[in-house]
Amino acid sequence: MALESILFWLFAMLAVGGGVGVVVHPNPVKSALFLVVTFFALAGEYVLLMAHFVAIVHIAVYAGAIMVLFLFVIMLLNVQEESRLAGVWGFMRYFSVVLFVALFVQLGYFGYQGFFGAENVPLVRETEIGTVEQIGTALFSQYVLPFEIASILLLTAMIGALYLSKQKLGLGEPARAARVKEALHEKEEAH
Amino acid sequence: MDSFGDLLFYLVIETGFLKAALVVNLLLVVVMILTLMERKISAWIQERHGPNRVGPWGILQPIADGVKFFTKEDIVPSHVDKFLYIIAPLVSLFPALVTFAVVPFGDQMTVNMFDHLVTIQFQVADINVGILYIVGIASLGVYGLIVGGFGSNNKYSMLGGLRSSAQMISYELPMGLAIISVVMLSGSLRLNDIVTDQSSLLAWNIFRQPLGFIIFFVAAFAETNRLPFDLPEAEQELVGGYHTEYSSMKFSAFMISEYSHIITASSLVATLYLGGWQIPGLAALNLPIVAEQLLQILAFIVKTSFIIFIFMWVRWTLPRFRYDQLMNLGWKSMVPLGLLNVVLTAAVVAFF
């Protein structure tokens, strides 16, 4: 138990520290690396909650793939250090403080309720709940509709991204239509 | 905990601490052997002698190399981002050493130790998401290259880091698709189940999944940054790639992580496609249990070594890909082939 507490605080501090680093650090590449630290620490917390599958998918997808792509783009565009808060809307800076306080109070309240409140259920640690088999069974029986909807949403987003990038390259449908129109126009003019 | 034996039992067996330490150290020793093996094999392929000055047949060469790495001056160039520059070799070493944790290198056996019946598993951690763990942690290895490339503050290093990130992402997809097919056959993500699923010679996944095997093998070359896919460190184009600015032990850390990646990738090929530690027909011989276990561990070592040999053989035989060829191969050939393999396997599993 002691070991679990130590690990929990270690990962918690890493996660919060990484999160602060993401926001505070002026260099975009280092911000992204801080985010990786946060993801890794969160995955550690998931393991402590016996959710091995979620933890490892979290690392493989977020830390292993998405953040690599982010870093790739940041490095490719060579974004220089900048004060990113000086954006278009100056008031957003103050608005964000309000949002932060609201969120913090909300989370703190529910956390307090859950921990000390009357309906404090003892924490159940089921070793079976986070296994692949359990999650797979749940996804394909109880939650099959949301699962399919999410997959269609992802597919739509993928096709959309493909369509937009092809359009920019001049291979998509609108671009081809424009080219055909232009060619016809030239033909008419030649006549 | 009333006796020393119990305490020792707790520390050694329950926590698995000793096993983990043993495996990591063995991994590092094997890395040392591999550096010599690579030079010997390259010499053999190119009809040279290779290192033969230190010790008989040059077998002490890795130790001499280690001493040299330790005693060389550790240069930190003035233009680098100091923190990232120093942390990059560590970031690259960590995933390389921990991925081996879930690879089973033998069956389990029960022995009597300090008056306890102990089941020894020849695997550091038998977790139910084994294969996903390897894919997930191995994909973190790219950060060492990216951080090293960016922290070096040098355009060649930076290009090496950029290349590696694109390459890793591209080849993780076909690798994942090949793994999905294997998982569909065995019905489990646990590596031990995948091994026991291939109990007879014809059930080895190399025969059931020939296409998947080729895809996985090629992707493994790309994921370990080995020739013909070693574009992140292409000498002729990028000086040395991401490790151009590194010297002494930091450079060595990059090399160690590369070789540990090769060991893990090879053991994974052996586990997923060559039946892991299994020897077909061994059970029929009725050998004593310890002999059987040792033979199985030996079988695993032989299979893995053979794959490592192929890795080296390919490196000294094939030329490097061009970058666009690399991307075309990954996205236009291997991903569709991997998808086809998944669909075929799913059909076979569903209808037969």
Side-chain angles (χ1 to χ4, degrees):
Chain A
M1 212 57 197
L3 186 67
E4 272 184 22
S5 309
I6 293 170
L7 285 175
F8 168 78
W9 285 109
L10 184 75
F11 285 130
M13 282 193 289
L14 260 181
V16 173
V20 171
V22 176
V23 184
V24 172
H25 209 283
N27 187 331
V29 171
K30 284 191 185 170
S31 275
L33 289 173
F34 271 118
L35 197 54
V36 176
V37 173
T38 306
F39 282 148
F40 201 77
L42 281 181
E45 300 283 23
Y46 292 149
V47 171
L48 289 178
L49 290 170
M50 297 287 169
H52 298 118
F53 180 71
V54 177
I56 208 65
V57 166
H58 189 73
I59 286 186
V61 174
Y62 285 98
I66 292 182
M67 285 319 290
V68 175
L69 268 186
F70 266 43
L71 273 173
F72 183 79
V73 171
I74 292 171
M75 282 163 74
L76 203 64
L77 296 180
N78 203 8
V79 184
Q80 296 300 317
E81 294 193 12
E82 53 179 339
S83 56
R84 282 167 296 167
L85 279 181
V88 190
W89 294 334
F91 70 90
M92 286 303 269
R93 185 186 310 209
Y94 307 104
F95 189 57
S96 68
V97 174
V98 176
L99 273 182
F100 171 74
V101 171
L103 186 71
F104 195 78
V105 168
Q106 201 178 10
L107 283 177
Y109 177 72
F110 283 113
Y112 183 83
Q113 281 276 309
F115 202 73
F116 299 105
E119 18 178 7
N120 182 9
V121 231
L123 197 60
V124 190
R125 282 188 185 279
E126 286 195 53
T127 45
E128 286 298 304
I129 211 159
T131 62
V132 195
E133 291 86 356
Q134 293 285 326
I135 289 176
T137 317
L139 273 185
F140 284 99
S141 56
Q142 200 177 347
Y143 301 105
V144 70
L145 188 66
F147 179 74
E148 292 297 334
I149 290 175
S151 62
I152 287 175
L153 198 66
L154 282 173
L155 187 67
T156 317
M158 246 164 72
I159 293 173
L162 210 66
Y163 184 75
L164 288 175
S165 62
K166 289 274 180 191
Q167 200 175 352
K168 215 166 191 179
L169 289 173
L171 302 169
E173 200 49 52
R176 192 184 301 140
R179 271 208 305 275
V180 170
K181 209 170 163 187
E182 207 172 299
L184 283 176
H185 194 68
E186 274 174 18
K187 229 177 186 178
E188 269 174 24
E189 275 190 352
H191 279 294
Chain B
M1 311 256 164
D2 47 354
S3 72
F4 179 70
D6 276 354
L7 184 68
L8 204 67
F9 172 78
Y10 175 75
L11 279 181
V12 171
I13 307 299
E14 294 287 314
T15 59
F17 180 76
L18 182 80
K19 200 155 61 172
L22 200 70
V23 167
V24 167
N25 281 300
L26 269 178
L27 211 58
L28 290 173
V29 170
V30 175
V31 165
M32 268 173 72
I33 298 169
L34 286 192
T35 56
L36 180 68
M37 185 176 153
E38 172 118 81
R39 293 178 67 181
K40 279 289 185 190
I41 286 176
S42 75
W44 175 60
I45 287 173
Q46 298 169 346
E47 295 198 60
R48 297 183 281 112
H49 285 294
N52 60 358
R53 296 291 105 177
V54 194
W57 310 288
I59 53 169
L60 296 179
Q61 185 69 41
I63 295 170
D65 286 344
V67 170
K68 186 180 161 193
F69 272 130
F70 268 116
T71 49
K72 279 238 166 180
E73 187 189 354
D74 184 30
I75 300 166
V76 180
S78 56
H79 57 82
V80 300
D81 187 319
K82 231 176 197 152
F83 180 70
L84 292 183
Y85 178 84
I86 290 171
I87 208 170
L90 307 175
V91 172
S92 121
L93 205 50
F94 167 73
L97 290 179
V98 298
T99 37
F100 196 79
V102 296
V103 177
F105 46 89
D107 204 357
Q108 56 188 27
M109 67 175 179
T110 310
V111 291
N112 196 336
M113 194 186 285
F114 307 120
D115 300 326
H116 293 273
L117 271 184
V118 179
T119 305
I120 299 182
Q121 259 190 329
F122 291 102
Q123 182 182 20
V124 176
D126 188 20
I127 57 179
N128 65 40
V129 285
I131 188 73
L132 279 180
Y133 170 86
I134 291 190
V135 175
I137 301 290
S139 65
L140 292 181
V142 68
Y143 284 111
L145 279 58
I146 296 180
V147 171
F150 181 77
S152 295
N153 206 4
N154 163 338
K155 55 188 162 194
Y156 292 118
S157 303
M158 177 95 160
L159 276 173
L162 270 178
R163 281 182 173 194
S164 72
S165 55
Q167 179 177 334
M168 290 284 204
I169 289 218
S170 310
Y171 280 80
E172 246 163 47
L173 281 167
M175 194 178 220
L177 289 171
I179 290 174
I180 286 174
S181 312
V182 171
V183 170
M184 269 196 281
L185 284 178
S186 68
S188 171
L189 293 171
R190 208 183 277 268
L191 282 166
N192 249 329
D193 294 348
I194 294 175
V195 171
T196 40
D197 186 48
Q198 316 171 48
S199 47
S200 67
L201 184 62
L202 279 178
W204 281 13
N205 280 330
I206 187 173
F207 300 117
R208 295 194 291 179
Q209 291 278 330
L211 185 60
F213 172 73
I214 294 170
I215 292 170
F216 186 88
F217 205 36
V218 174
F221 276 92
E223 291 285 303
T224 49
N225 288 321
R226 290 285 292 188
L227 263 164
F229 301 114
D230 69 335
L231 287 125
E233 43 184 312
E235 298 89 356
Q236 293 88 339
E237 305 155 30
L238 297 179
V239 190
Y242 59 90
H243 56 56
T244 305
E245 302 283 354
Y246 284 89
S247 58
S248 83
M249 215 45 212
K250 292 203 188 75
F251 173 76
S252 170
F254 278 123
M255 285 293 110
I256 291 172
S257 59
E258 183 186 327
Y259 282 103
S260 342
H261 271 309
I262 293 171
I263 297 170
T264 311
S266 308
S267 59
L268 212 55
V269 171
T271 305
L272 292 180
Y273 291 98
L274 301 178
W277 38 262
Q278 303 213 55
I279 307 174
L282 185 71
L285 293 177
N286 278 327
L287 289 171
I289 185 100
V290 176
E292 197 178 297
Q293 298 297 335
L294 288 179
L295 272 179
Q296 282 175 337
I297 294 175
L298 191 69
F300 177 80
I301 293 172
V302 167
K303 285 169 186 173
T304 308
S305 312
F306 179 66
I307 303 289
I308 292 175
F309 171 70
I310 295 182
F311 264 87
M312 293 180 176
W313 186 11
V314 166
R315 169 167 181 182
W316 296 102
T317 312
L318 293 183
R320 183 181 296 125
F321 273 75
R322 222 171 48 217
Y323 201 69
D324 57 323
Q325 291 172 333
L326 171 93
M327 285 295 153
N328 280 342
L329 180 73
W331 288 100
K332 294 183 183 166
S333 315
M334 298 209 359
V335 171
L337 278 177
L339 283 171
L340 177 75
N341 194 37
V342 169
V343 172
L344 282 180
T345 314
V348 168
V349 169
F351 294 120
F352 292 101

